[in-house]
Amino acid sequence: SGVTHISFQGPPGRYEKTESFPVAQVLTDKIFLAYQVNGKKLPRKHGYPLRVVAEVHYGSVWVKYVHTIEAYRVDG
């Protein structure tokens, strides 16, 4: 209750990256986690086992190798 944002984090090291999206955007199904592409397991070079796909954002914000997902509230 009261969650306003979801953040997705890559693993520590080379692919360490965090991106956050408003819950309202996530609930539109335009932001989701992919584990397959064209019916096949997501290749390692493309972020296996999970990759964020954010259709309304540039691919540069798509987090690869999703390691942590957090829900939080931003007041204001």
Side-chain angles (χ1 to χ4, degrees):
S1 175
V3 170
T4 61
H5 289 76
I6 307 291
S7 73
F8 301 91
Q9 300 169 351
R14 182 176 178 193
Y15 295 102
E16 189 169 352
K17 176 182 184 156
T18 301
E19 290 293 338
S20 295
F21 303 97
V23 167
Q25 270 189 3
V26 175
L27 293 175
T28 67
D29 293 332
K30 300 260 184 209
I31 298 173
F32 57 91
L33 294 171
Y35 61 92
Q36 290 184 331
V37 62
N38 298 325
K40 296 182 181 175
K41 183 170 70 171
L42 187 66
R44 186 150 195 76
K45 71 179 183 176
H46 292 296
Y48 174 86
L50 290 173
R51 178 186 187 137
V52 171
V53 176
E55 293 180 14
V56 294
H57 297 275
Y58 290 111
S60 60
V61 302
W62 298 9
V63 177
K64 290 182 174 181
Y65 315 103
V66 173
H67 181 65
T68 306
I69 302 170
E70 294 181 359
Y72 63 97
R73 179 186 178 106
V74 174
D75 292 320

